[in-house]
Amino acid sequence: MKKIIAAAAAAAMLTLSACGSSGETIAMVPAPTDSAVNTITVNSSEKVNVVPDIAEVVYSVQTESPDAAGCQQQNTEDVNKVVELLTGLGVEEGSIQTTGYYMNPRYSWSNDTQTLIGYEATTTLTVSDLLIDSLGDILTQSVNAGVNNIQSISYLSSNYDESYQEALRLSIEAAKTKAEAMAQAAGCQLGGITQLREQSNYSPARYTDNALAEKTSLSAARDTGSVTIMPGELEVEAVITVEYQLLPNS
Protein backbone atom coordinates (compact mmCIF):
# COMPACT_ATOMS: atom_id res chain seq x y z
CA MET A 1 0.00 0.00 0.00
CA LYS A 2 2.88 2.36 0.77
CA LYS A 3 4.35 1.67 -2.68
CA ILE A 4 1.06 2.61 -4.36
CA ILE A 5 0.83 5.88 -2.42
CA ALA A 6 4.45 6.75 -3.27
CA ALA A 7 3.84 6.11 -6.96
CA ALA A 8 0.74 8.28 -6.95
CA ALA A 9 2.63 11.10 -5.23
CA ALA A 10 5.42 10.89 -7.78
CA ALA A 11 2.91 11.03 -10.62
CA ALA A 12 1.27 14.07 -9.07
CA MET A 13 4.64 15.82 -8.74
CA LEU A 14 5.43 15.05 -12.41
CA THR A 15 2.10 16.53 -13.46
CA LEU A 16 2.68 19.67 -11.43
CA SER A 17 6.21 20.15 -12.78
CA ALA A 18 4.91 19.89 -16.34
CA CYS A 19 2.47 22.75 -15.88
CA GLY A 20 3.31 26.44 -16.19
CA SER A 21 2.00 29.17 -14.00
CA SER A 22 -0.29 30.25 -16.87
CA GLY A 23 -2.15 26.95 -16.73
CA GLU A 24 -0.59 25.53 -19.94
CA THR A 25 0.24 21.84 -19.84
CA ILE A 26 3.43 20.55 -21.44
CA ALA A 27 2.97 17.13 -23.04
CA MET A 28 5.32 14.47 -21.70
CA VAL A 29 6.02 11.80 -24.34
CA PRO A 30 7.20 8.55 -22.72
CA ALA A 31 10.23 6.87 -24.26
CA PRO A 32 9.49 3.60 -26.00
CA THR A 33 10.03 0.60 -23.78
CA ASP A 34 10.66 -1.83 -26.67
CA SER A 35 14.42 -1.84 -27.24
CA ALA A 36 14.07 -4.15 -30.27
CA VAL A 37 12.60 -1.55 -32.65
CA ASN A 38 13.58 -2.32 -36.23
CA THR A 39 14.88 0.56 -38.33
CA ILE A 40 16.04 1.16 -41.87
CA THR A 41 18.73 3.70 -42.84
CA VAL A 42 19.12 5.26 -46.28
CA ASN A 43 21.52 7.79 -47.77
CA SER A 44 20.39 10.32 -50.32
CA SER A 45 21.96 13.11 -52.33
CA GLU A 46 20.40 15.54 -54.78
CA LYS A 47 21.80 18.38 -56.87
CA VAL A 48 20.28 21.64 -58.05
CA ASN A 49 21.81 23.55 -60.95
CA VAL A 50 22.00 27.32 -60.64
CA VAL A 51 23.39 29.97 -62.99
CA PRO A 52 26.11 32.04 -61.26
CA ASP A 53 25.54 35.76 -61.16
CA ILE A 54 28.60 37.02 -59.23
CA ALA A 55 32.34 36.40 -59.40
CA GLU A 56 35.45 36.66 -57.27
CA VAL A 57 38.76 37.57 -58.90
CA VAL A 58 42.26 37.25 -57.43
CA TYR A 59 44.61 39.84 -58.98
CA SER A 60 48.36 40.32 -58.65
CA VAL A 61 50.22 43.58 -59.25
CA GLN A 62 53.94 42.92 -59.75
CA THR A 63 56.58 45.65 -59.88
CA GLU A 64 60.36 45.59 -60.46
CA SER A 65 62.86 48.31 -59.56
CA PRO A 66 66.65 48.59 -58.96
CA ASP A 67 66.23 49.62 -55.29
CA ALA A 68 63.91 48.37 -52.56
CA ALA A 69 62.34 51.71 -51.64
CA GLY A 70 61.62 52.58 -55.24
CA CYS A 71 60.16 49.13 -55.86
CA GLN A 72 57.80 49.44 -52.91
CA GLN A 73 56.70 52.92 -53.90
CA GLN A 74 56.07 51.93 -57.52
CA ASN A 75 54.07 48.89 -56.46
CA THR A 76 51.93 51.00 -54.14
CA GLU A 77 51.21 53.45 -56.94
CA ASP A 78 50.29 50.66 -59.36
CA VAL A 79 47.95 49.07 -56.80
CA ASN A 80 46.29 52.43 -56.09
CA LYS A 81 45.62 52.85 -59.81
CA VAL A 82 43.90 49.48 -59.94
CA VAL A 83 41.81 50.20 -56.83
CA GLU A 84 40.83 53.61 -58.22
CA LEU A 85 39.77 51.98 -61.48
CA LEU A 86 37.69 49.34 -59.72
CA THR A 87 35.85 51.81 -57.51
CA GLY A 88 35.27 53.98 -60.57
CA LEU A 89 33.62 51.00 -62.25
CA GLY A 90 31.23 50.64 -59.32
CA VAL A 91 33.03 48.05 -57.19
CA GLU A 92 32.49 48.66 -53.47
CA GLU A 93 35.65 49.34 -51.45
CA GLY A 94 34.54 46.65 -48.98
CA SER A 95 34.74 44.10 -51.81
CA ILE A 96 38.46 44.83 -52.41
CA GLN A 97 40.86 43.16 -50.00
CA THR A 98 44.66 42.98 -49.93
CA THR A 99 45.31 39.28 -49.39
CA GLY A 100 49.06 39.13 -49.99
CA TYR A 101 52.21 41.21 -50.24
CA TYR A 102 55.86 40.35 -50.59
CA MET A 103 59.11 41.86 -51.87
CA ASN A 104 62.14 39.82 -52.87
CA PRO A 105 65.61 40.62 -54.21
CA ARG A 106 66.41 39.71 -57.81
CA TYR A 107 69.76 38.24 -58.79
CA SER A 108 71.61 37.38 -61.93
CA TRP A 109 74.18 34.61 -62.23
CA SER A 110 77.41 34.83 -64.23
CA ASN A 111 80.32 32.44 -63.87
CA ASP A 112 78.83 31.09 -60.65
CA THR A 113 78.71 34.62 -59.26
CA GLN A 114 75.46 36.03 -57.83
CA THR A 115 74.84 39.72 -58.49
CA LEU A 116 71.97 41.77 -57.04
CA ILE A 117 70.16 43.49 -59.91
CA GLY A 118 67.06 44.84 -58.16
CA TYR A 119 63.88 44.01 -56.29
CA GLU A 120 60.46 42.62 -57.08
CA ALA A 121 57.29 43.52 -55.16
CA THR A 122 53.93 41.79 -55.56
CA THR A 123 50.57 42.72 -54.05
CA THR A 124 47.62 40.35 -54.28
CA LEU A 125 44.08 41.74 -54.35
CA THR A 126 40.95 39.65 -53.92
CA VAL A 127 37.93 41.37 -55.42
CA SER A 128 34.53 39.85 -54.66
CA ASP A 129 30.85 40.45 -55.51
CA LEU A 130 31.55 41.36 -59.13
CA LEU A 131 28.47 41.16 -61.33
CA ILE A 132 28.86 38.63 -64.14
CA ASP A 133 27.36 41.04 -66.68
CA SER A 134 30.20 43.54 -66.21
CA LEU A 135 33.00 41.06 -65.44
CA GLY A 136 34.56 40.96 -68.92
CA ASP A 137 35.00 44.72 -69.11
CA ILE A 138 36.33 44.91 -65.53
CA LEU A 139 38.94 42.23 -66.21
CA THR A 140 40.24 43.88 -69.35
CA GLN A 141 40.40 47.37 -67.87
CA SER A 142 42.08 46.06 -64.72
CA VAL A 143 44.92 44.53 -66.72
CA ASN A 144 45.32 47.71 -68.72
CA ALA A 145 45.47 49.69 -65.45
CA GLY A 146 48.40 47.73 -64.02
CA VAL A 147 47.30 44.21 -63.09
CA ASN A 148 49.83 41.84 -64.64
CA ASN A 149 48.53 38.56 -63.24
CA ILE A 150 45.02 37.21 -62.76
CA GLN A 151 45.47 34.21 -60.52
CA SER A 152 41.91 32.92 -60.56
CA ILE A 153 38.31 33.74 -61.42
CA SER A 154 35.61 32.02 -59.34
CA TYR A 155 31.90 31.99 -60.17
CA LEU A 156 29.31 31.99 -57.39
CA SER A 157 25.57 32.45 -56.97
CA SER A 158 23.81 34.93 -54.72
CA ASN A 159 20.91 32.44 -54.61
CA TYR A 160 22.99 29.66 -53.06
CA ASP A 161 20.94 29.45 -49.85
CA GLU A 162 17.67 28.96 -51.70
CA SER A 163 19.24 26.39 -54.04
CA TYR A 164 20.74 24.42 -51.15
CA GLN A 165 17.41 24.31 -49.31
CA GLU A 166 15.77 23.00 -52.48
CA ALA A 167 18.45 20.31 -52.76
CA LEU A 168 17.80 19.32 -49.14
CA ARG A 169 14.07 19.02 -49.80
CA LEU A 170 14.66 16.85 -52.86
CA SER A 171 17.10 14.66 -50.92
CA ILE A 172 14.55 13.97 -48.19
CA GLU A 173 11.88 13.11 -50.77
CA ALA A 174 14.28 10.74 -52.57
CA ALA A 175 15.26 9.11 -49.28
CA LYS A 176 11.64 8.37 -48.45
CA THR A 177 11.04 6.86 -51.88
CA LYS A 178 14.05 4.55 -51.47
CA ALA A 179 13.08 3.57 -47.94
CA GLU A 180 9.50 2.75 -48.95
CA ALA A 181 10.74 0.50 -51.77
CA MET A 182 13.11 -1.32 -49.42
CA ALA A 183 10.46 -1.74 -46.74
CA GLN A 184 7.96 -3.11 -49.25
CA ALA A 185 10.52 -5.56 -50.61
CA ALA A 186 11.15 -6.76 -47.03
CA GLY A 187 7.45 -7.32 -46.42
CA CYS A 188 7.16 -4.43 -43.99
CA GLN A 189 5.77 -0.93 -43.93
CA LEU A 190 7.60 2.31 -43.29
CA GLY A 191 7.18 4.14 -40.00
CA GLY A 192 8.23 7.63 -38.96
CA ILE A 193 11.67 9.19 -39.05
CA THR A 194 13.81 8.37 -36.03
CA GLN A 195 17.00 10.19 -37.12
CA LEU A 196 17.82 12.74 -39.80
CA ARG A 197 21.39 13.89 -40.41
CA GLU A 198 22.83 16.39 -42.86
CA GLN A 199 26.10 15.02 -44.25
CA SER A 200 27.06 17.69 -46.78
CA ASN A 201 29.13 20.72 -45.85
CA TYR A 202 27.24 24.00 -46.13
CA SER A 203 29.54 26.18 -48.21
CA PRO A 204 28.80 28.34 -51.24
CA ALA A 205 29.34 26.42 -54.46
CA ARG A 206 31.95 27.87 -56.73
CA TYR A 207 33.68 27.09 -59.98
CA THR A 208 37.21 28.42 -60.47
CA ASP A 209 38.09 29.24 -64.07
CA ASN A 210 41.90 29.34 -64.20
CA ALA A 211 41.92 28.97 -67.98
CA LEU A 212 39.90 32.17 -68.40
CA ALA A 213 42.27 33.97 -66.02
CA GLU A 214 45.23 33.19 -68.25
CA LYS A 215 43.28 34.00 -71.39
CA THR A 216 42.23 37.37 -69.93
CA SER A 217 45.83 38.42 -69.26
CA LEU A 218 46.90 37.52 -72.80
CA SER A 219 43.86 39.12 -74.41
CA ALA A 220 44.30 42.40 -72.52
CA ALA A 221 48.02 42.46 -73.27
CA ARG A 222 47.25 42.19 -76.98
CA ASP A 223 44.48 44.79 -76.67
CA THR A 224 41.93 42.48 -78.29
CA GLY A 225 38.97 43.95 -76.44
CA SER A 226 36.74 42.75 -73.63
CA VAL A 227 36.82 39.10 -72.66
CA THR A 228 33.67 37.05 -73.27
CA ILE A 229 32.35 35.49 -70.05
CA MET A 230 30.46 32.18 -70.19
CA PRO A 231 30.10 31.01 -66.58
CA GLY A 232 27.91 27.98 -67.28
CA GLU A 233 26.11 26.48 -64.28
CA LEU A 234 26.96 25.54 -60.70
CA GLU A 235 25.90 22.35 -58.96
CA VAL A 236 24.55 22.76 -55.42
CA GLU A 237 24.48 19.38 -53.69
CA ALA A 238 22.86 18.24 -50.45
CA VAL A 239 23.67 14.86 -48.85
CA ILE A 240 21.60 13.41 -46.00
CA THR A 241 21.15 10.21 -44.00
CA VAL A 242 17.66 9.25 -42.80
CA GLU A 243 16.66 6.50 -40.39
CA TYR A 244 13.05 5.27 -40.43
CA GLN A 245 11.17 2.93 -38.16
CA LEU A 246 10.38 -0.37 -39.85
CA LEU A 247 6.97 -1.77 -38.94
CA PRO A 248 5.35 -5.15 -39.66
CA ASN A 249 2.50 -5.23 -42.12
CA SER A 250 -0.83 -5.03 -40.33
Side-chain angles (χ1 to χ4, degrees):
M1 186 67 177
K2 291 182 179 179
K3 292 182 178 180
I4 297 176
I5 295 174
M13 292 177 64
L14 179 60
T15 304
L16 289 173
S17 63
C19 298
S21 59
S22 60
E24 296 179 352
T25 301
I26 302 174
M28 304 295 289
V29 181
T33 56
D34 186 3
S35 59
V37 174
N38 293 321
T39 61
I40 183 172
T41 302
V42 295
N43 297 318
S44 177
S45 65
E46 291 292 330
K47 297 178 181 178
V48 173
N49 290 333
V50 58
V51 177
D53 57 351
I54 55 177
E56 178 183 275
V57 180
V58 180
Y59 290 120
S60 285
V61 180
Q62 182 178 344
T63 307
E64 296 179 358
S65 182
D67 62 283
C71 184
Q72 184 180 42
Q73 180 179 355
Q74 184 61 50
N75 186 260
T76 300
E77 292 176 358
D78 291 345
V79 170
N80 289 340
K81 289 179 182 178
V82 174
V83 172
E84 183 178 354
L85 169 70
L86 292 172
T87 55
L89 292 174
V91 179
E92 298 289 337
E93 289 188 5
S95 298
I96 306 172
Q97 182 181 18
T98 301
T99 51
Y101 176 81
Y102 68 86
M103 185 168 64
N104 293 322
R106 299 174 58 243
Y107 297 96
S108 67
W109 291 84
S110 179
N111 297 325
D112 295 329
T113 301
Q114 178 178 275
T115 304
L116 178 65
I117 60 174
Y119 293 85
E120 175 186 275
T122 301
T123 298
T124 303
L125 298 175
T126 299
V127 186
S128 55
D129 299 328
L130 298 175
L131 297 179
I132 293 291
D133 293 341
S134 57
L135 181 59
D137 186 49
I138 289 177
L139 291 174
T140 302
Q141 292 197 47
S142 297
V143 173
N144 292 334
V147 169
N148 39 33
N149 190 306
I150 298 178
Q151 297 184 11
S152 66
I153 300 170
S154 299
Y155 303 121
L156 302 97
S157 173
S158 60
N159 296 319
Y160 174 80
D161 290 348
E162 293 83 351
S163 301
Y164 185 73
Q165 291 166 12
E166 174 66 11
L168 281 174
R169 184 185 66 79
L170 294 174
S171 295
I172 293 176
E173 291 179 355
K176 184 177 181 180
T177 300
K178 291 166 61 176
E180 286 176 339
M182 294 171 67
Q184 183 178 5
C188 301
Q189 61 179 341
L190 200 65
I193 294 176
T194 57
Q195 287 191 41
L196 176 59
R197 295 188 298 275
E198 178 188 19
Q199 305 288 7
S200 51
N201 294 323
Y202 184 86
S203 60
R206 65 171 60 210
Y207 165 65
T208 301
D209 194 346
N210 293 316
L212 178 61
E214 181 178 355
K215 177 183 176 182
T216 301
S217 298
L218 293 174
S219 175
R222 295 170 183 168
D223 196 21
T224 57
S226 180
V227 178
T228 301
I229 303 298
M230 299 182 66
E233 292 185 337
L234 296 171
E235 285 187 344
V236 180
E237 183 179 18
V239 182
I240 63 169
T241 298
V242 189
E243 181 182 270
Y244 293 91
Q245 189 176 8
L246 198 59
L247 304 175
N249 278 326
S250 55

Short mmCIF file of all heavy atoms in Angstrom, two decimals, residues 56-63 75-76 78-80 82-83 86 95-104 120-128 146-153:
data_model
loop_
_atom_site.label_atom_id
_atom_site.label_comp_id
_atom_site.label_asym_id
_atom_site.label_seq_id
_atom_site.Cartn_x
_atom_site.Cartn_y
_atom_site.Cartn_z
N GLU A 56 34.35 36.21 -58.13
CA GLU A 56 35.45 36.66 -57.27
C GLU A 56 36.75 36.50 -58.05
O GLU A 56 37.02 35.43 -58.61
CB GLU A 56 35.51 35.83 -55.99
CG GLU A 56 36.65 36.20 -55.06
CD GLU A 56 36.70 35.30 -53.84
OE1 GLU A 56 35.97 35.59 -52.86
OE2 GLU A 56 37.45 34.31 -53.86
N VAL A 57 37.52 37.56 -58.11
CA VAL A 57 38.76 37.57 -58.90
C VAL A 57 39.94 37.83 -57.98
O VAL A 57 39.88 38.70 -57.11
CB VAL A 57 38.71 38.65 -60.01
CG1 VAL A 57 40.00 38.64 -60.82
CG2 VAL A 57 37.51 38.44 -60.92
N VAL A 58 41.02 37.05 -58.17
CA VAL A 58 42.26 37.25 -57.43
C VAL A 58 43.28 37.84 -58.39
O VAL A 58 43.70 37.18 -59.34
CB VAL A 58 42.77 35.94 -56.82
CG1 VAL A 58 44.06 36.19 -56.04
CG2 VAL A 58 41.72 35.33 -55.90
N TYR A 59 43.64 39.11 -58.16
CA TYR A 59 44.61 39.84 -58.98
C TYR A 59 45.99 39.83 -58.33
O TYR A 59 46.11 39.71 -57.11
CB TYR A 59 44.22 41.32 -59.09
CG TYR A 59 42.99 41.65 -59.90
CD1 TYR A 59 41.91 42.30 -59.31
CD2 TYR A 59 42.92 41.37 -61.26
CE1 TYR A 59 40.79 42.65 -60.05
CE2 TYR A 59 41.81 41.71 -62.00
CZ TYR A 59 40.74 42.35 -61.40
OH TYR A 59 39.64 42.70 -62.13
N SER A 60 47.02 40.03 -59.16
CA SER A 60 48.36 40.32 -58.65
C SER A 60 48.93 41.51 -59.40
O SER A 60 48.81 41.59 -60.63
CB SER A 60 49.30 39.12 -58.82
OG SER A 60 49.02 38.13 -57.88
N VAL A 61 49.53 42.42 -58.66
CA VAL A 61 50.22 43.58 -59.25
C VAL A 61 51.70 43.41 -58.92
O VAL A 61 52.10 43.49 -57.76
CB VAL A 61 49.68 44.91 -58.69
CG1 VAL A 61 50.42 46.08 -59.31
CG2 VAL A 61 48.18 45.02 -58.93
N GLN A 62 52.51 43.20 -59.93
CA GLN A 62 53.94 42.92 -59.75
C GLN A 62 54.76 44.08 -60.29
O GLN A 62 54.50 44.59 -61.39
CB GLN A 62 54.31 41.63 -60.47
CG GLN A 62 55.76 41.22 -60.31
CD GLN A 62 56.06 39.90 -61.02
OE1 GLN A 62 55.14 39.16 -61.38
NE2 GLN A 62 57.33 39.61 -61.21
N THR A 63 55.75 44.50 -59.52
CA THR A 63 56.58 45.65 -59.88
C THR A 63 58.05 45.31 -59.67
O THR A 63 58.39 44.63 -58.69
CB THR A 63 56.22 46.88 -59.02
OG1 THR A 63 54.81 47.11 -59.11
CG2 THR A 63 56.96 48.11 -59.50
N ASN A 75 55.13 49.89 -56.62
CA ASN A 75 54.07 48.89 -56.46
C ASN A 75 52.84 49.49 -55.81
O ASN A 75 51.70 49.20 -56.22
CB ASN A 75 54.60 47.71 -55.63
CG ASN A 75 53.61 46.57 -55.56
OD1 ASN A 75 52.89 46.41 -54.58
ND2 ASN A 75 53.56 45.75 -56.61
N THR A 76 53.05 50.33 -54.81
CA THR A 76 51.93 51.00 -54.14
C THR A 76 51.16 51.87 -55.11
O THR A 76 49.91 51.87 -55.12
CB THR A 76 52.43 51.84 -52.96
OG1 THR A 76 53.10 50.99 -52.02
CG2 THR A 76 51.28 52.54 -52.27
N ASP A 78 50.99 51.51 -58.39
CA ASP A 78 50.29 50.66 -59.36
C ASP A 78 49.02 50.06 -58.74
O ASP A 78 47.97 49.98 -59.39
CB ASP A 78 51.22 49.54 -59.83
CG ASP A 78 52.36 50.05 -60.69
OD1 ASP A 78 52.27 51.21 -61.15
OD2 ASP A 78 53.34 49.30 -60.88
N VAL A 79 49.12 49.64 -57.48
CA VAL A 79 47.95 49.07 -56.80
C VAL A 79 46.87 50.13 -56.63
O VAL A 79 45.67 49.87 -56.84
CB VAL A 79 48.35 48.48 -55.44
CG1 VAL A 79 47.11 48.12 -54.62
CG2 VAL A 79 49.23 47.26 -55.62
N ASN A 80 47.27 51.34 -56.26
CA ASN A 80 46.29 52.43 -56.09
C ASN A 80 45.56 52.73 -57.39
O ASN A 80 44.36 53.05 -57.38
CB ASN A 80 46.98 53.68 -55.57
CG ASN A 80 47.42 53.54 -54.11
OD1 ASN A 80 46.90 52.70 -53.38
ND2 ASN A 80 48.37 54.36 -53.69
N VAL A 82 44.86 50.56 -59.74
CA VAL A 82 43.90 49.48 -59.94
C VAL A 82 42.68 49.66 -59.04
O VAL A 82 41.53 49.52 -59.47
CB VAL A 82 44.55 48.11 -59.68
CG1 VAL A 82 43.52 46.99 -59.76
CG2 VAL A 82 45.67 47.86 -60.69
N VAL A 83 42.91 50.00 -57.77
CA VAL A 83 41.81 50.20 -56.83
C VAL A 83 40.94 51.38 -57.29
O VAL A 83 39.70 51.31 -57.23
CB VAL A 83 42.34 50.44 -55.41
CG1 VAL A 83 41.21 50.84 -54.46
CG2 VAL A 83 43.05 49.19 -54.89
N LEU A 86 38.77 50.22 -60.15
CA LEU A 86 37.69 49.34 -59.72
C LEU A 86 36.55 50.12 -59.05
O LEU A 86 35.37 49.88 -59.35
CB LEU A 86 38.22 48.27 -58.77
CG LEU A 86 39.17 47.24 -59.38
CD1 LEU A 86 39.77 46.35 -58.30
CD2 LEU A 86 38.44 46.38 -60.41
N SER A 95 34.57 45.32 -51.02
CA SER A 95 34.74 44.10 -51.81
C SER A 95 36.18 43.92 -52.29
O SER A 95 36.48 42.91 -52.95
CB SER A 95 33.79 44.11 -53.01
OG SER A 95 32.44 44.15 -52.59
N ILE A 96 37.06 44.89 -51.98
CA ILE A 96 38.46 44.83 -52.41
C ILE A 96 39.33 44.60 -51.18
O ILE A 96 39.31 45.40 -50.25
CB ILE A 96 38.88 46.14 -53.13
CG1 ILE A 96 37.92 46.46 -54.28
CG2 ILE A 96 40.31 46.03 -53.63
CD1 ILE A 96 38.15 47.82 -54.91
N GLN A 97 40.06 43.53 -51.18
CA GLN A 97 40.86 43.16 -50.00
C GLN A 97 42.29 42.81 -50.43
O GLN A 97 42.50 42.05 -51.38
CB GLN A 97 40.23 41.97 -49.28
CG GLN A 97 40.98 41.56 -48.01
CD GLN A 97 40.34 40.36 -47.33
OE1 GLN A 97 39.57 39.65 -47.96
NE2 GLN A 97 40.65 40.14 -46.07
N THR A 98 43.27 43.37 -49.72
CA THR A 98 44.66 42.98 -49.93
C THR A 98 44.89 41.66 -49.21
O THR A 98 44.84 41.58 -47.99
CB THR A 98 45.62 44.05 -49.40
OG1 THR A 98 45.36 45.29 -50.06
CG2 THR A 98 47.07 43.65 -49.65
N THR A 99 45.16 40.61 -49.97
CA THR A 99 45.31 39.28 -49.39
C THR A 99 46.74 38.75 -49.46
O THR A 99 47.00 37.62 -49.05
CB THR A 99 44.37 38.28 -50.09
OG1 THR A 99 44.56 38.37 -51.52
CG2 THR A 99 42.92 38.59 -49.76
N GLY A 100 47.67 39.57 -49.94
CA GLY A 100 49.06 39.13 -49.99
C GLY A 100 49.98 40.25 -50.41
O GLY A 100 49.60 41.12 -51.20
N TYR A 101 51.18 40.25 -49.83
CA TYR A 101 52.21 41.21 -50.24
C TYR A 101 53.58 40.62 -49.92
O TYR A 101 53.79 40.07 -48.83
CB TYR A 101 52.05 42.55 -49.50
CG TYR A 101 53.16 43.53 -49.83
CD1 TYR A 101 53.11 44.29 -50.99
CD2 TYR A 101 54.27 43.66 -49.00
CE1 TYR A 101 54.14 45.17 -51.32
CE2 TYR A 101 55.30 44.54 -49.32
CZ TYR A 101 55.23 45.29 -50.48
OH TYR A 101 56.25 46.14 -50.81
N TYR A 102 54.49 40.74 -50.88
CA TYR A 102 55.86 40.35 -50.59
C TYR A 102 56.81 41.11 -51.51
O TYR A 102 56.43 41.57 -52.59
CB TYR A 102 56.06 38.83 -50.75
CG TYR A 102 55.95 38.31 -52.17
CD1 TYR A 102 57.06 38.30 -53.03
CD2 TYR A 102 54.74 37.78 -52.65
CE1 TYR A 102 56.96 37.81 -54.32
CE2 TYR A 102 54.65 37.30 -53.93
CZ TYR A 102 55.76 37.30 -54.77
OH TYR A 102 55.66 36.82 -56.04
N MET A 103 58.06 41.23 -51.07
CA MET A 103 59.11 41.86 -51.87
C MET A 103 60.37 41.02 -51.73
O MET A 103 60.80 40.71 -50.61
CB MET A 103 59.37 43.30 -51.43
CG MET A 103 60.39 44.01 -52.33
SD MET A 103 60.46 45.81 -52.04
CE MET A 103 61.03 45.85 -50.34
N ASN A 104 60.96 40.67 -52.86
CA ASN A 104 62.14 39.82 -52.87
C ASN A 104 63.24 40.45 -53.71
O ASN A 104 62.98 41.17 -54.68
CB ASN A 104 61.80 38.44 -53.47
CG ASN A 104 60.86 37.64 -52.60
OD1 ASN A 104 60.97 37.69 -51.37
ND2 ASN A 104 59.94 36.92 -53.21
N GLU A 120 61.77 42.91 -56.51
CA GLU A 120 60.46 42.62 -57.08
C GLU A 120 59.42 42.63 -55.96
O GLU A 120 59.58 41.94 -54.96
CB GLU A 120 60.47 41.25 -57.75
CG GLU A 120 59.12 40.79 -58.27
CD GLU A 120 59.18 39.36 -58.79
OE1 GLU A 120 59.54 39.19 -59.97
OE2 GLU A 120 58.89 38.43 -58.00
N ALA A 121 58.37 43.43 -56.14
CA ALA A 121 57.29 43.52 -55.16
C ALA A 121 55.98 43.06 -55.81
O ALA A 121 55.70 43.40 -56.96
CB ALA A 121 57.14 44.93 -54.63
N THR A 122 55.21 42.30 -55.06
CA THR A 122 53.93 41.79 -55.56
C THR A 122 52.85 41.98 -54.51
O THR A 122 53.02 41.59 -53.35
CB THR A 122 54.02 40.30 -55.92
OG1 THR A 122 55.04 40.12 -56.91
CG2 THR A 122 52.70 39.78 -56.46
N THR A 123 51.75 42.58 -54.91
CA THR A 123 50.57 42.72 -54.05
C THR A 123 49.43 41.93 -54.65
O THR A 123 49.17 42.03 -55.86
CB THR A 123 50.16 44.20 -53.91
OG1 THR A 123 51.23 44.93 -53.30
CG2 THR A 123 48.91 44.34 -53.05
N THR A 124 48.76 41.15 -53.82
CA THR A 124 47.62 40.35 -54.28
C THR A 124 46.33 40.98 -53.77
O THR A 124 46.20 41.29 -52.59
CB THR A 124 47.72 38.90 -53.77
OG1 THR A 124 48.95 38.34 -54.21
CG2 THR A 124 46.57 38.07 -54.28
N LEU A 125 45.39 41.18 -54.68
CA LEU A 125 44.08 41.74 -54.35
C LEU A 125 43.00 40.72 -54.65
O LEU A 125 42.98 40.14 -55.74
CB LEU A 125 43.81 43.01 -55.17
CG LEU A 125 44.73 44.21 -54.97
CD1 LEU A 125 44.37 45.31 -55.96
CD2 LEU A 125 44.64 44.74 -53.55
N THR A 126 42.12 40.50 -53.69
CA THR A 126 40.95 39.65 -53.92
C THR A 126 39.73 40.55 -54.01
O THR A 126 39.41 41.28 -53.07
CB THR A 126 40.77 38.63 -52.78
OG1 THR A 126 41.93 37.78 -52.72
CG2 THR A 126 39.54 37.77 -53.01
N VAL A 127 39.08 40.51 -55.15
CA VAL A 127 37.93 41.37 -55.42
C VAL A 127 36.69 40.48 -55.55
O VAL A 127 36.64 39.60 -56.42
CB VAL A 127 38.14 42.20 -56.70
CG1 VAL A 127 36.99 43.20 -56.87
CG2 VAL A 127 39.48 42.92 -56.66
N SER A 128 35.72 40.70 -54.70
CA SER A 128 34.53 39.85 -54.66
C SER A 128 33.28 40.63 -55.05
O SER A 128 33.31 41.86 -55.20
CB SER A 128 34.36 39.24 -53.26
OG SER A 128 34.32 40.25 -52.27
N GLY A 146 47.20 48.09 -64.77
CA GLY A 146 48.40 47.73 -64.02
C GLY A 146 48.43 46.32 -63.47
O GLY A 146 49.46 45.86 -63.00
N VAL A 147 47.30 45.61 -63.52
CA VAL A 147 47.30 44.21 -63.09
C VAL A 147 48.05 43.39 -64.12
O VAL A 147 47.73 43.42 -65.31
CB VAL A 147 45.86 43.68 -62.94
CG1 VAL A 147 45.86 42.17 -62.76
CG2 VAL A 147 45.17 44.35 -61.77
N ASN A 148 49.08 42.66 -63.70
CA ASN A 148 49.83 41.84 -64.64
C ASN A 148 49.72 40.35 -64.37
O ASN A 148 50.46 39.55 -64.94
CB ASN A 148 51.31 42.25 -64.69
CG ASN A 148 51.87 42.62 -63.32
OD1 ASN A 148 51.45 42.04 -62.33
ND2 ASN A 148 52.79 43.58 -63.29
N ASN A 149 48.79 39.97 -63.48
CA ASN A 149 48.53 38.56 -63.24
C ASN A 149 47.14 38.40 -62.65
O ASN A 149 46.81 39.04 -61.66
CB ASN A 149 49.58 37.97 -62.28
CG ASN A 149 49.49 36.46 -62.19
OD1 ASN A 149 48.43 35.90 -61.91
ND2 ASN A 149 50.60 35.79 -62.41
N ILE A 150 46.33 37.58 -63.31
CA ILE A 150 45.02 37.21 -62.76
C ILE A 150 45.14 35.76 -62.33
O ILE A 150 45.19 34.85 -63.16
CB ILE A 150 43.89 37.40 -63.79
CG1 ILE A 150 43.79 38.87 -64.19
CG2 ILE A 150 42.56 36.92 -63.21
CD1 ILE A 150 42.73 39.16 -65.22
N GLN A 151 45.21 35.54 -61.03
CA GLN A 151 45.47 34.21 -60.52
C GLN A 151 44.28 33.27 -60.67
O GLN A 151 44.44 32.09 -60.98
CB GLN A 151 45.89 34.28 -59.05
CG GLN A 151 47.19 35.04 -58.82
CD GLN A 151 47.63 35.01 -57.37
OE1 GLN A 151 47.09 34.27 -56.55
NE2 GLN A 151 48.61 35.84 -57.06
N SER A 152 43.09 33.77 -60.43
CA SER A 152 41.91 32.92 -60.56
C SER A 152 40.65 33.76 -60.68
O SER A 152 40.60 34.91 -60.24
CB SER A 152 41.77 31.97 -59.35
OG SER A 152 41.51 32.71 -58.17
N ILE A 153 39.64 33.15 -61.31
CA ILE A 153 38.31 33.74 -61.42
C ILE A 153 37.32 32.68 -60.94
O ILE A 153 37.27 31.58 -61.49
CB ILE A 153 37.98 34.16 -62.86
CG1 ILE A 153 39.00 35.19 -63.35
CG2 ILE A 153 36.57 34.73 -62.94
CD1 ILE A 153 38.89 35.49 -64.83
#
